[in-house]
Amino acid sequence: FGSSSHSVLAGTVLGDSQVEQRKAMRVATVALFASAYASAEDESKNRPVTKVINLLKDMVKQLEKEAEEDEEVYNKVACWCSTNDKDKTKSIADAEQRIDRLVNKIEEETASSSRLNTEIKN
């Protein structure tokens, strides 16, 4: 029993070849479990539900990107609208004041023309 060619495992005397066989079985078992895990992981990547989930995640990323772009465009347009609205409102007010001045000037000139025509006739 004391020689290196024998081992005691679970109360049984085993030879070197049997110990090596058991080690090989353990390694094979671990390899089998690792392979099964990797296979299960690969299957989960190929499942239709996983594909849909990944598609939805990609869509969320795309929508977030588009939302940022839309917000930038909105901010530019909103700024243009408020600036343009202020400019147009001021232009309209200025034009209405000018119209009022011109109407008054026309009335004054019409009155002056009538007076001068009367003076010329007399």
Side-chain angles (χ1 to χ4, degrees):
F1 291 118
S3 71
S4 63
S5 64
H6 293 85
S7 176
V8 177
L9 184 64
T12 308
V13 176
L14 301 174
D16 283 341
S17 64
Q18 290 174 327
V19 170
E20 293 301 319
Q21 285 177 348
R22 292 216 175 193
K23 286 181 184 178
M25 289 293 285
R26 286 186 197 132
V27 170
T29 303
V30 169
L32 180 65
F33 284 130
S35 173
Y37 178 76
S39 175
E41 200 170 283
D42 288 342
E43 284 180 22
S44 70
K45 289 181 183 176
N46 293 327
R47 289 184 179 166
V49 172
T50 304
K51 290 179 182 179
V52 170
I53 291 171
N54 289 335
L55 180 63
L56 290 173
K57 287 179 182 177
D58 291 342
M59 288 174 68
V60 166
K61 289 177 188 174
Q62 183 66 29
L63 289 172
E64 288 172 348
K65 179 182 173 189
E66 289 176 3
E68 290 174 5
E69 292 171 356
D70 289 348
E71 186 176 352
E72 290 175 14
V73 170
Y74 174 80
N75 289 337
K76 288 178 184 177
V77 170
C79 179
W80 179 83
C81 286
S82 65
T83 301
N84 196 31
D85 183 51
K86 290 175 187 175
D87 290 344
K88 296 301 177 191
T89 302
K90 184 179 181 320
S91 295
I92 290 169
D94 291 346
E96 288 174 346
Q97 287 177 353
R98 185 166 183 242
I99 290 170
D100 289 340
R101 284 195 310 268
L102 290 173
V103 167
N104 289 335
K105 181 76 170 172
I106 290 171
E107 289 173 357
E108 288 173 11
E109 295 299 324
T110 302
S112 176
S113 174
S114 295
R115 184 182 49 83
L116 290 174
N117 281 334
T118 304
E119 286 180 12
I120 292 172
K121 286 182 183 178
N122 291 338

